[in-house]
């Protein structure tokens, strides 16, 4: 191979790499703007030191609540080493918004067998919106190492068929009332 041919080959491969980078950048731009794909946790801050006194994440307000429009909001606290509440009922086939935050360290939130997955960072409210298609129980383990009790940190998500769903007059539901 003479000098000129080597330069030509290098240029050719350089163009292939440039084209690949261009395609990747284009996919990122198109997917973030056109398809509106953003990280699941929107940026919403909260004071992690006063969660129990906050209106939204006070103990009596945690868990599942049916909204007037038929959707459901679930509020969860992830703390060393438990999710509160331990069992979370959600209705099958209805829009569910899960809001979760931490008073101490970073935890991970995932509902096994679904695409619900986010980090839970103190000072921020993570929000996940989803619809559960099939009734049944899902394990909800912490997936971010958070200390000695990390492996013991999990809750259960119970997807309840519409016919078996029960909530009280305030829209509150628990795994005891819906099974
Ligand atoms: Cu919480 Cu690991």
């Amino acid at each position: 191979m003479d000098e000129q041919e080597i330069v030509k080959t290098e240029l050719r491969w350089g163009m292939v790499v440039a084209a690949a980078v261009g395609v990747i950048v284009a996919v990122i731009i198109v997917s973030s703007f056109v398809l509106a794909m953003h990280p699941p946790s929107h940026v919403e801050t909260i004071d992690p030191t006063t969660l129990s006194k906050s209106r939204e994440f006070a103990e009596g307000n945690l868990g599942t609540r049916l909204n007037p429009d038929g959707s459901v909001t679930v509020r969860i606290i992830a703390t060393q080493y438990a999710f509160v509440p331990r069992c979370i009922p959600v209705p099958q086939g209805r829009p569910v918004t899960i809001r979760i935050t931490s008073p101490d360290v970073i935890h991970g939130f995932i509902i096994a067998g679904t695409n619900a997955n986010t980090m839970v960072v103190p000072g921020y409210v993570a929000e996940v919106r989803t619809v559960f298609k099939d009734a049944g129980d899902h394990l909800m383990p912490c997936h971010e190492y958070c200390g000695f009790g990390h492996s013991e940190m999990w809750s259960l998500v119970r997807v309840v068929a519409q016919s078996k769903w029960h909530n009280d007059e305030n829209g509150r539901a628990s795994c005891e009332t819906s099974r």
Side-chain angles (χ1 to χ4, degrees):
M1 246 195 261
D2 60 17
E3 187 82 5
Q4 220 175 356
E5 203 156 333
I6 290 172
V7 170
K8 252 191 215 163
T9 308
E10 280 183 346
L11 268 176
R12 214 175 301 136
W13 280 106
M15 271 151 68
V16 169
V17 171
V21 170
V23 167
I24 290 166
V25 170
V27 166
I28 291 171
I29 291 172
V30 168
S31 62
S32 53
F33 285 99
V34 178
L35 301 176
M37 275 169 59
H38 302 295
S41 316
H42 60 172
V43 175
E44 183 182 337
T45 57
I46 189 166
D47 183 352
T49 61
T50 57
L51 282 188
S52 58
K53 295 187 196 94
S54 77
R55 200 182 306 173
E56 180 171 6
F57 289 96
E59 204 180 334
N61 205 39
L62 299 178
T64 306
R65 172 171 281 163
L66 184 74
N67 301 312
D69 67 359
S71 68
V72 159
T73 304
V74 179
R75 293 183 178 86
I76 303 169
I77 283 188
T79 182
Q80 288 167 315
Y81 297 99
F83 292 100
V84 185
R86 295 302 309 268
C87 185
I88 297 156
V90 290
Q92 180 187 3
R94 277 198 231 161
V96 174
T97 300
I98 295 160
R99 289 169 60 74
I100 179 165
T101 189
S102 162
D104 40 47
V105 299
I106 295 177
H107 299 277
F109 166 87
I110 186 167
I111 302 177
T114 74
N115 65 352
N117 183 351
T118 185
M119 279 170 83
V120 186
V121 182
Y124 295 88
V125 178
E127 190 173 291
V128 174
R129 290 174 200 198
T130 188
V131 175
F132 296 92
K133 291 201 178 79
D134 303 306
D137 286 356
H138 296 269
L139 215 52
M140 192 188 103
C142 178
H143 70 68
E144 196 74 46
Y145 183 75
C146 52
F148 298 124
H150 164 70
S151 60
E152 305 302 315
M153 182 172 171
W154 56 273
S155 276
L156 205 63
V157 172
R158 174 160 297 161
V159 185
V160 180
Q162 294 283 0
S163 58
K164 295 183 177 166
W165 178 259
H166 279 290
N167 55 260
D168 68 13
E169 67 276 15
N170 299 316
R172 307 304 308 256
S174 74
C175 285
E176 280 67 48
T177 58
S178 288
R179 55 168 81 239

